[in-house]
């Protein structure tokens, strides 16, 4: 699943230049859908968000991920990296691990770095799901400060046949960080609205 | 096609605005203009307020609808202006191409308190009669993508807004009469129209279901009615029938409820909906109007009533959709859920349709430190019409 470093640099350079790559064949299953989770944790805790799912629109296509950028709001989260696990994983997704990196044994298949991963579309015979099982992103974070911080979504930069694309996944995380281990019921309020400069993008592809 | 028409609009329910005269000039083949000329009977109405009739053809043709829709803004001291919507008058066209004034104005303002935009328009066109719901604040996907709007403001007067509705074939139109034996209570040449009555009835209308087992609690939050459609029923001497889905004539733009499910619960949530009877009147091309003997029950508004109906049949997980959660998790899909067979009027089984959105969220809270599992009935929980806890 490793892609070339050259492709990665190409896409990242485009992202840094300020241009917005168009939507392409990678994205969520449906525009407008959103979900998220919330949790109170202790400062210094590392964790993995396993909720983002991503799909390739056409089974004949293959794309290469160049970068995964969590859209963090607040000062209390540091991105540690992102792994990916393919459609042959044992469970649809595992939302949360209280560590980074996540234990691959829980998935039944190896994990890979998301950067450079090559993703293909689902063959209809592979799964009973309308869009296939898709790919699960596993994003690692460290809680670096007290207070509320959120992940408003994930921007995924990727490449297909020499063209560069970008998509945003509408999945949120709300972290309420405390200096000491919290007690009692978790009252951390979820981040219900995905406040992005553009909406999550469904996978589309025009031949 | 007449070169111009005069429409006398009434202002029932809007005291202080007085009687208003609308002059509609329709120049065949040219860009049409519509002028609202308030009569000089009310201080705030002394200015002639030009507004533009939105028309890409500038002609009133059979099968096209034109409506006059006023947005009346008055400032009541400091703060936001008070805005009320009122349909002043309607123009109708016939399948013979004869433009005519709708025989009635729609007195929306007297129906309910509240500032909701309201509805409608109808005309007799080749495709039959349609009623359109118009909500200027709605998501364009939900009903106004075919309705153009313009606003004009006079030097002294309040703002006016005029809408021209789209072609009757618009998918967002709601069929006024079903294509059945009840489709023509007025016969082939009489233009049917609806008259709202003061007769109401109420029904419990289902909107969502979910299920918890032993490791989660769930909360279903429901806000506003803008994404809700409910079947219309017709009844009378031509018989009872289902007409089709329609939005309520009055939307509740704020308000809602939250239903909390404990563990091991299978629940459906219902809303108490008010239906209003509308008599169907006929307007022949010649002769007086007459009552057809047929009426419709149309969704009018959510009363704010709601209930939980427990012990529902289990939802079935779609294979491969099982996911593990460890934290409070919310889901807001863009899916649409239909419920049929739960309520009826005049012996006719009716359907409700709820389009899920961020205003209709389902949340799960794991009750154990080891987490819990969810599944969807049609896809992964994030994309599924319904979600439940699973083992």
């Amino acid at each position: 699943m490793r892609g070339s470093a050259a492709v990665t640099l190409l896409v990242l350079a485009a992202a840094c230049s300020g241009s917005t790559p168009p939507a392409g064949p990678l994205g969520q299953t449906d525009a407008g859908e959103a979900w998220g989770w919330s949790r109170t944790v202790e400062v210094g805790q590392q964790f993995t968000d396993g909720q983002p799912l991503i799909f390739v629109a056409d089974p004949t296509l293959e794309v290469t991920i160049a970068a995964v950028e969590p859209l963090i709001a607040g000062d209390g989260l540091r991105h540690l990296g992102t792994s990916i696990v393919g459609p042959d994983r044992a469970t649809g997704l595992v939302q949360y691990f209280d560590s980074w990196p996540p234990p691959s044994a829980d998935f039944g298949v190896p994990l890979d770095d998301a950067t450079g991963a090559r993703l293909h579309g689902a063959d209809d015979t592979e799964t009973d799901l309308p869009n296939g099982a898709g790919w699960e992103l596993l994003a690692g974070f460290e809680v670096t400060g007290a207070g509320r911080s959120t992940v408003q979504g994930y921007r995924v930069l990727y490449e297909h046949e020499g063209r560069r694309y970008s998509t945003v996944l509408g999945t949120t995380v709300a972290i309420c960080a405390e200096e000491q281990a919290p007690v009692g019921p978790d009252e951390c309020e979820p981040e219900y609205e995905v406040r992005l400069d553009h909406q999550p993008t469904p996978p589309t592809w025009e031949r | 096609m007449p070169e111009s028409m005069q429409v006398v609009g009434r202002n029932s329910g809007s005291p202080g605005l007085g009687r208003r005269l609308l002059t509609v000039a329709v120049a065949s083949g040219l860009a049409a203009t519509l002028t609202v000329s308030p009569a000089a009977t009310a201080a705030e109405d002394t200015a002639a307020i030009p507004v533009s009739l939105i028309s890409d053809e500038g002609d009133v043709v059979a099968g096209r609808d034109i409506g006059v829709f006023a947005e009346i803004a008055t400032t009541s001291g400091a703060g936001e202006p008070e805005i009320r919507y009122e349909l002043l008058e309607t123009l109708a066209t016939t399948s013979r191409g004869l433009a005519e004034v709708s025989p009635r104005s729609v007195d929306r303002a007297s129906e309910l308190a509240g500032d909701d935009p309201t509805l409608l328009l109808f005309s007799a066109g080749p495709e039959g009669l349609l009623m359109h719901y118009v909500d200027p604040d709605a998501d364009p996907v939900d009903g106004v993508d075919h309705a153009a709007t313009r606003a004009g403001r006079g030097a002294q007067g309040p703002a006016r807004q005029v809408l021209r509705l789209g072609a009757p074939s618009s998918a967002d139109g709601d069929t006024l009469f079903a294509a059945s034996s009840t489709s023509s209570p007025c016969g082939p040449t009489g233009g049917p129209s609806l008259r709202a009555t003061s007769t109401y009835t109420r029904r419990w209308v289902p909107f969502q279901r979910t299920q918890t087992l032993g490791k989660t609690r769930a909360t279903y939050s429901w806000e506003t009615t803008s994404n809700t459609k409910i079947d219309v029923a017709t009844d009378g001497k031509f018989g009872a029938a289902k007409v089709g889905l329609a939005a309520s004539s009055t939307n509740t733009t704020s308000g809602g409820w939250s239903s909390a499910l404990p563990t091991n619960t299978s629940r459906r949530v219902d809303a108490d909906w008010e239906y209003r009877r509308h008599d169907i009147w006929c307007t022949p091309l010649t002769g007086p109007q007459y009552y057809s003997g047929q009426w419709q029950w149309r969704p009018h508004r959510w009363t704010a009533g709601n209930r939980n109906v427990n012990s529902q049949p289990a939802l079935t997980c779609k294979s491969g959709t099982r996911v593990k959660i460890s934290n409070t998790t919310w889901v807001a899909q863009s899916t649409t859920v239909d419920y049929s067979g739960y309520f009826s009027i005049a012996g006719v089984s009716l359907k409700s349709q709820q389009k899920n959105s961020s205003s209709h969220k389902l949340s799960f809270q794991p009750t154990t430190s080891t987490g819990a599992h969810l599944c969807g009935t049609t896809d992964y929980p994030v994309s599924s019409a319904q979600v439940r806890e699973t083992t």
Side-chain angles (χ1 to χ4, degrees):
Chain A
M1 271 202 275
R2 304 292 179 181
S4 71
V7 168
T8 301
L9 290 173
L10 185 66
V11 175
L12 286 176
C16 294
S17 71
S19 62
T20 302
L26 189 65
Q28 291 181 269
T29 57
D30 189 12
E33 68 189 15
W35 66 335
W37 58 268
S38 61
R39 187 182 183 98
T40 301
V41 300
E42 197 169 348
V43 174
Q45 173 79 49
Q46 294 187 348
F47 69 89
T48 299
D49 173 23
Q51 190 152 275
L53 290 175
I54 197 163
F55 300 82
V56 182
D58 190 310
T60 66
L61 302 180
E62 182 178 273
V63 305
T64 302
I65 291 181
V68 177
E69 174 193 357
L71 305 175
I72 297 174
D75 300 326
L77 287 176
R78 184 167 69 93
H79 183 213
L80 301 175
T82 306
S83 296
I84 195 167
V85 60
D88 50 352
R89 63 192 182 277
T91 303
L93 66 81
V94 182
Q95 180 187 67
Y96 176 82
F97 295 94
D98 58 1
S99 62
W100 170 261
S104 62
D106 284 33
F107 295 92
V109 293
L111 308 181
D112 291 282
D113 285 343
T115 301
R118 293 181 178 175
L119 280 55
H120 55 78
D123 188 316
D124 290 343
T125 62
E126 291 179 0
T127 174
D128 197 29
L129 298 175
N131 297 283
W135 303 72
E136 179 181 359
L137 294 174
L138 298 150
F141 296 91
E142 179 179 0
V143 181
T144 57
R148 179 181 176 87
S149 295
T150 61
V151 179
Q152 300 281 318
Y154 291 87
R155 177 175 289 117
V156 180
L157 303 172
Y158 62 100
E159 185 269 347
H160 171 72
E161 292 185 347
R163 293 188 66 188
R164 295 157 291 173
Y165 300 93
S166 165
T167 189
V168 174
L169 309 179
T171 170
T172 70
V173 176
I175 295 295
C176 302
E178 299 181 3
E179 293 292 347
Q180 297 186 346
V183 294
D186 193 336
E187 296 181 349
C188 187
E189 188 71 16
E191 187 77 356
Y192 286 123
E193 299 297 330
V194 181
R195 300 186 184 90
L196 304 175
D197 54 356
H198 57 285
Q199 293 297 308
T201 311
T204 57
W205 183 251
E206 295 181 5
R207 295 178 181 278
Chain B
M1 186 75 62
E3 287 292 312
S4 65
M5 293 170 286
Q6 284 195 330
V7 184
V8 177
R10 292 180 301 164
N11 283 315
S12 305
S14 64
L17 289 173
R19 187 177 173 87
R20 197 178 282 132
L21 181 68
L22 308 179
T23 301
V24 183
V26 181
S28 178
L30 300 174
T33 58
L34 182 151
T35 303
V36 179
S37 301
T41 56
E44 66 268 44
D45 263 348
T46 55
I49 302 167
V51 292
S52 297
L53 176 67
I54 295 94
S55 171
D56 48 4
E57 295 125 359
D59 194 5
V60 179
V61 298
R64 307 289 289 189
D65 299 336
I66 291 179
V68 179
F69 201 92
E71 177 189 66
I72 302 165
T74 57
T75 302
S76 54
E80 295 296 319
E82 177 186 350
I83 298 175
R84 179 172 52 217
Y85 294 87
E86 179 185 21
L87 184 69
L88 299 177
E89 194 52 88
T90 302
L91 299 179
T93 61
T94 74
S95 58
R96 299 183 180 184
L98 300 175
E100 63 181 22
V101 175
S102 172
R104 67 188 183 89
S105 65
V106 178
D107 178 12
R108 183 256 163 223
S110 65
E111 291 182 4
L112 284 174
D115 301 324
D116 307 309
T118 185
L119 34 136
L120 43 121
L121 199 32
F122 31 83
S123 74
E127 297 87 356
L129 294 183
L130 295 177
M131 176 172 280
H132 295 270
Y133 179 76
V134 180
D135 179 354
D137 295 323
D139 181 341
V141 175
D142 293 333
V144 286
D145 54 347
H146 63 285
T149 66
R150 290 289 188 278
R153 185 177 293 275
Q156 301 173 30
R160 298 286 198 275
Q161 190 172 64
V162 176
L163 299 181
R164 194 205 69 166
L165 302 185
S169 58
S170 166
D172 291 314
D174 143 34
T175 303
L176 190 55
F177 296 102
S180 66
S181 60
T182 62
S183 61
S184 302
C186 300
T189 59
S193 61
L194 295 178
R195 289 187 181 184
T197 73
S198 57
T199 303
Y200 298 87
T201 187
R202 287 157 64 175
R203 291 294 184 275
W204 286 108
V205 177
F207 285 112
Q208 186 55 281
R209 277 178 57 193
T210 192
Q211 184 173 0
T212 60
L213 300 178
K215 294 184 177 180
T216 65
R217 296 188 300 269
T219 304
Y220 177 61
S221 300
W222 188 93
E223 301 171 10
T224 83
T225 62
S226 59
N227 290 325
T228 302
K229 290 186 175 180
I230 308 174
D231 267 336
V232 174
T234 186
D235 197 8
K237 71 178 185 181
F238 295 98
K242 182 169 70 173
V243 176
L245 291 167
S248 290
S249 55
T250 298
N251 271 342
T252 303
T253 54
S254 62
W257 84 87
S258 181
S259 175
L261 282 74
T263 56
N264 295 304
T265 303
S266 184
R267 175 178 291 175
R268 188 185 81 228
V269 289
D270 291 353
D272 183 16
W273 224 272
E274 186 175 74
Y275 272 78
R276 187 173 191 177
R277 176 174 156 162
H278 290 68
D279 290 339
I280 300 172
W281 281 68
C282 303
T283 306
L285 293 177
T286 59
Q289 287 183 277
Y290 64 91
Y291 174 50
S292 70
Q294 193 78 2
W295 60 87
Q296 285 189 353
W297 291 104
R298 302 188 68 84
H300 182 57
R301 61 170 178 167
W302 173 50
T303 68
N306 62 85
R307 70 177 182 183
N308 300 320
V309 183
N310 291 335
S311 302
Q312 294 296 299
L315 294 169
T316 302
C317 292
K318 178 83 169 179
S319 173
T321 66
R322 182 174 178 265
V323 303
K324 182 180 180 181
I325 66 168
S326 302
N327 309 297
T328 296
T329 302
W330 62 275
V331 181
Q333 308 98 332
S334 56
T335 51
T336 299
V337 183
D338 289 351
Y339 282 95
S340 299
Y342 286 93
F343 69 107
S344 63
I345 294 179
V348 178
S349 180
L350 303 177
K351 182 175 80 172
S352 65
Q353 185 180 85
Q354 177 66 56
K355 181 182 176 184
N356 293 320
S357 70
S358 59
S359 297
H360 304 85
K361 287 186 289 289
L362 186 60
S363 299
F364 290 87
Q365 300 89 36
T367 58
T368 69
S369 60
T370 56
H373 290 87
L374 303 179
C375 70
T377 58
T378 56
D379 202 338
Y380 282 129
V382 69
S383 303
S384 177
Q386 292 165 313
V387 180
R388 57 160 287 184
E389 182 187 348
T390 187
T391 55

